[in-house]
Amino acid sequence: MKRAVFPGSFDPLTNGHLDIIQRSAPLFDEMIVAVLNNPEKRPMFSVEERCDMIREVLPSIDTDDCKMTVESFSGLTAQFAKNRDADAIVRGIRAVSDYEYELRMALMNRRLEPEIETVFLMADEEFSYVSSTLMKQVFELGGRVEGLIPELVEERMRAKQNK
Ligand code: PNS
């Protein structure tokens, strides 16, 4: 029984995240999408809103026979993964520019929890430039983000904007 944790801010979920979830699902029996509770970063969506959106969107992708759950967490990813008895931490790599930060994080997480491996997956090149930050920026300035984030996420962003 192999369990993975896919940690992130997910503010908001993008199609790049979904691509990574879909690619990693066949590799594990269980996967916990772990949403970091980071109020100090003043996220667009609360941690509950982010978790709810992911739960609502997940059924739209093929997650094979992998049991998917969504949870929020605070503190260290390595500690959360250990508490959940996970075998692996999954991270997506888009471009070479991601590599240095991800390598540092993976090595630190390994130092903290040597039993837990970080597994890197390459997102589809279609999403190589997609990040939550870029999506928020483009959306807020009136640009089109269609096809890069789930429709439901776009609706929730619009609802936030109109508040
Ligand atoms: O989606 P993001 O913002 O790239 O995800 C980054 C995340 C949440 C994986 C990273 O910031 C993290 O693990 N934060 C929790 C605190 C922690 O464990 N820090 C040490 C990492 S070595």
Side-chain angles (χ1 to χ4, degrees):
M1 176 72 120
K2 293 286 175 205
R3 181 177 297 146
V5 164
F6 180 38
S9 307
F10 303 103
D11 186 43
L13 178 76
T14 68
N15 286 347
H17 292 128
L18 282 179
D19 182 57
I20 295 295
I21 295 173
Q22 193 163 330
R23 281 172 199 282
S24 48
L27 307 178
F28 299 100
D29 302 293
E30 286 186 25
M31 171 169 266
I32 303 167
V33 181
V35 182
L36 181 67
N37 190 2
N38 49 352
E40 68 287 350
K41 269 181 90 179
R42 306 211 350 105
M44 180 180 222
F45 292 100
S46 72
V47 71
E48 293 80 17
E49 287 172 328
R50 284 178 270 155
C51 287
D52 286 347
M53 276 191 278
I54 300 170
R55 286 191 192 103
E56 286 176 65
V57 172
L58 275 182
S60 69
I61 61 164
D62 180 10
T63 48
D64 216 53
D65 284 333
C66 183
K67 179 172 176 254
M68 303 293 309
T69 50
V70 182
E71 277 189 59
S72 63
F73 77 103
S74 304
L76 291 171
T77 293
Q79 188 62 54
F80 175 78
K82 166 92 174 159
N83 290 346
R84 292 294 176 275
D85 215 10
D87 303 281
I89 293 170
V90 168
R91 291 287 291 169
I93 300 243
R94 291 164 297 196
V96 180
S97 48
D98 282 338
Y99 179 74
E100 211 173 272
Y101 167 65
E102 292 297 334
L103 177 68
R104 269 187 281 135
M105 213 155 56
L107 293 177
M108 190 64 217
N109 284 333
R110 187 157 74 191
R111 188 187 169 92
L112 293 169
E113 293 301 336
E115 310 279 283
I116 304 175
E117 286 295 345
T118 294
V119 174
F120 290 126
L121 292 173
M122 314 309 149
D124 194 299
E125 56 267 32
E126 189 187 347
F127 305 120
S128 60
Y129 60 95
V130 175
S131 71
S132 300
T133 307
L134 195 64
M135 294 303 102
K136 282 185 284 195
Q137 202 178 80
V138 171
F139 180 85
E140 276 165 9
L141 297 172
R144 284 180 44 235
V145 286
E146 180 189 322
L148 304 177
I149 57 173
E151 268 175 41
L152 178 132
V153 171
E154 199 178 337
E155 280 163 26
R156 301 279 157 92
M157 283 169 93
R158 203 166 301 122
K160 279 258 174 229
Q161 207 174 37
N162 296 334
K163 251 189 185 173

